[in-house]
Amino acid sequence: MNNINQVRKKIELLKKKEAEMVTRDALKLYRKCHQILGEEYSPELVAGLITHAWENKSPKLKEVWLQKATSFRSPQVAPQPN
């Protein structure tokens, strides 16, 4: 029974850590969008821009964007090579 409790505690800890990471990424995205848009920033504007850009671009350009997506992460967060 002790092993099960240890596993449950570990799962709880990992879920908490995941939530913290999601929050940290959301804050980074907010700051970057606000920096780019300045006083014009609003969540609705950002959502509209992303939706419009994504829906109206070629699959090739979307692929390029997805490949560049890792550059958003700061160096200390980027996965380390094995």
Side-chain angles (χ1 to χ4, degrees):
M1 197 65 167
N2 192 26
N3 287 340
I4 291 173
N5 287 334
Q6 287 178 340
V7 169
R8 287 181 179 152
K9 285 181 182 180
K10 183 68 171 180
I11 290 170
E12 187 177 317
L13 178 66
L14 290 171
K15 285 181 180 180
K16 183 179 177 182
K17 193 170 192 174
E18 178 186 27
E20 290 170 357
M21 291 173 73
V22 168
T23 300
R24 191 168 45 245
D25 281 349
L27 285 171
K28 285 182 196 175
L29 180 59
Y30 162 77
R31 288 180 185 128
K32 187 67 174 178
C33 290
H34 198 277
Q35 176 187 12
I36 292 168
L37 297 172
E39 293 299 317
E40 300 293 324
Y41 172 83
S42 76
E44 295 82 9
L45 176 60
V46 172
L49 289 169
I50 293 169
T51 299
H52 178 76
W54 190 257
E55 290 175 348
N56 293 297
K57 295 305 171 205
S58 69
K60 181 69 176 167
L61 184 54
K62 289 180 185 180
E63 184 179 325
V64 170
W65 286 347
L66 289 170
Q67 289 172 354
K68 291 184 177 188
T70 57
S71 67
F72 175 71
R73 298 183 187 273
S74 61
Q76 67 268 18
V77 177
Q80 300 296 320
N82 293 338

